[in-house]
Amino acid sequence: MDMDTFDQTHYCIEKIREKNVHKFEEKSTNGSLNAVPSTLKFIFDSGNFKIQEKKVEIMNYFLKPCPIRFLPLETDYFRFKNVYQRTWLNPGSVFKLKILFIPDEDRDYNDILKICYFNDQTIQIKIYAEMTIKFSFPTVVNFGNVPLGRTVSYKIPIHSHAEKDFSFAIILFNGGSCVDVYPRRGRVKLKQKPVTIVVIYRPLRYISMNFQIRIFISDLCKAPHVINFYAYTRPGLLR
């Protein structure tokens, strides 16, 4: 190694040491190759097959150049973007590997990224993609003017998932005795017909009504779907 190359390598190591001093001191004793993140996750909406891109950063903690080789991915749904199958990584430097996700149907996807380096050692990174469903629930339902004692209803279909069963639960707020909702909970099986939730309103007195239901589908959605209902009952509506 000539002096210019040695100086460049030393400078590179020192810059990384300054940035991650504790981590570098621990790793560089024996040397290692690190990859971040250890798991690569993609998320896509049902019916949205837009190509996505994420990156994996590979850092050389060895005190000498490290050869790295990327084994071919197992599926065609994840691909390398503009990368050679084999490259060298200098001490203290970082290689940014870009991964493309190319879905073509509503389902979950899985793959493994394998990075080989010294003496056939291997780093494995799990790559996967999860589909989320966008349920087409309204945010507001207005029953309008409802005469005293008259019953009105609203139906909410919950469609099945293409890949898995899921459970749902419904909580009613401020409904009182004028409102009923059924079923309040249930399970939708894979590819079955939609389950229909029925919201029934029957005013027992003259009132301006505002109540809310929250639909929890925790298997697929982090937050509940909130629907606000409005209705108005006053004298003279039957005339």
Side-chain angles (χ1 to χ4, degrees):
M1 180 183 295
D2 58 38
M3 288 303 298
D4 289 341
T5 303
F6 177 82
D7 289 342
Q8 291 176 5
T9 301
H10 183 72
Y11 174 78
C12 186
I13 293 174
E14 287 302 318
K15 294 299 289 184
I16 295 297
R17 188 194 303 274
E18 292 172 7
K19 186 177 181 180
N20 299 295
V21 59
H22 299 298
K23 189 174 182 180
F24 190 89
E25 288 175 354
E26 177 184 348
K27 298 283 186 181
S28 62
T29 303
N30 298 313
S32 67
L33 190 72
N34 272 26
V36 178
S38 57
T39 300
L40 196 63
K41 179 181 180 180
F42 293 85
I43 296 177
F44 70 104
D45 294 327
S46 174
N48 183 2
F49 303 135
K50 182 179 178 180
I51 296 175
Q52 298 184 41
E53 178 182 311
K54 289 182 180 290
K55 66 181 178 181
V56 175
E57 294 190 352
I58 304 160
M59 177 177 287
N60 179 12
Y61 284 102
F62 292 103
L63 296 178
K64 59 182 178 180
C66 178
I68 55 176
R69 180 166 58 93
F70 305 104
L71 298 185
L73 295 170
E74 297 177 358
T75 72
D76 292 330
Y77 302 106
F78 301 98
R79 300 179 188 177
F80 301 135
K81 180 181 179 182
N82 301 329
V83 64
Y84 295 103
Q85 191 171 1
R86 185 189 301 268
T87 189
W88 282 83
L89 192 59
N90 288 324
S93 60
V94 177
F95 184 87
K96 296 181 180 180
L97 173 65
K98 295 181 179 179
I99 303 288
L100 297 178
F101 169 52
I102 310 172
D104 64 356
E105 60 180 317
D106 288 336
R107 64 179 181 87
D108 295 341
Y109 297 81
N110 292 278
D111 210 322
I112 295 289
L113 168 62
K114 297 179 181 179
I115 306 169
C116 297
Y117 59 107
F118 288 131
N119 301 321
D120 293 328
Q121 298 181 74
T122 304
I123 295 176
Q124 293 192 8
I125 297 175
K126 179 182 178 181
I127 307 175
Y128 67 103
E130 291 183 349
M131 180 189 69
T132 59
I133 289 185
K134 285 188 174 181
F135 291 95
S136 57
F137 298 134
T139 56
V140 174
V141 174
N142 191 346
F143 285 127
N145 295 320
V146 182
L148 190 66
R150 181 75 57 86
T151 298
V152 292
S153 64
Y154 188 85
K155 295 181 179 180
I156 306 169
I158 300 181
H159 294 271
S160 64
H161 189 283
E163 286 288 314
K164 63 181 74 173
D165 300 351
F166 64 89
S167 300
F168 68 88
I170 296 176
I171 297 179
L172 171 65
F173 291 88
N174 302 323
S177 58
C178 298
V179 181
D180 191 16
V181 180
Y182 69 89
R184 296 286 182 101
R185 62 181 63 250
R187 188 165 184 83
V188 182
K189 295 184 178 180
L190 177 68
K191 297 180 181 179
Q192 79 169 63
K193 293 181 179 180
V195 173
T196 301
I197 308 301
V198 182
V199 180
I200 299 174
Y201 173 63
R202 184 173 183 270
L204 303 177
R205 64 185 187 277
Y206 296 120
I207 188 175
S208 293
M209 191 66 174
N210 172 213
F211 63 93
Q212 182 184 94
I213 68 169
R214 297 182 184 181
I215 305 174
F216 292 83
I217 307 177
S218 56
D219 296 327
L220 302 175
C221 307
K222 293 181 179 180
H225 300 272
V226 179
I227 306 177
N228 289 287
F229 289 80
Y230 298 90
Y232 309 94
T233 300
R234 60 180 185 270
L237 290 179
L238 289 175
R239 295 176 184 174

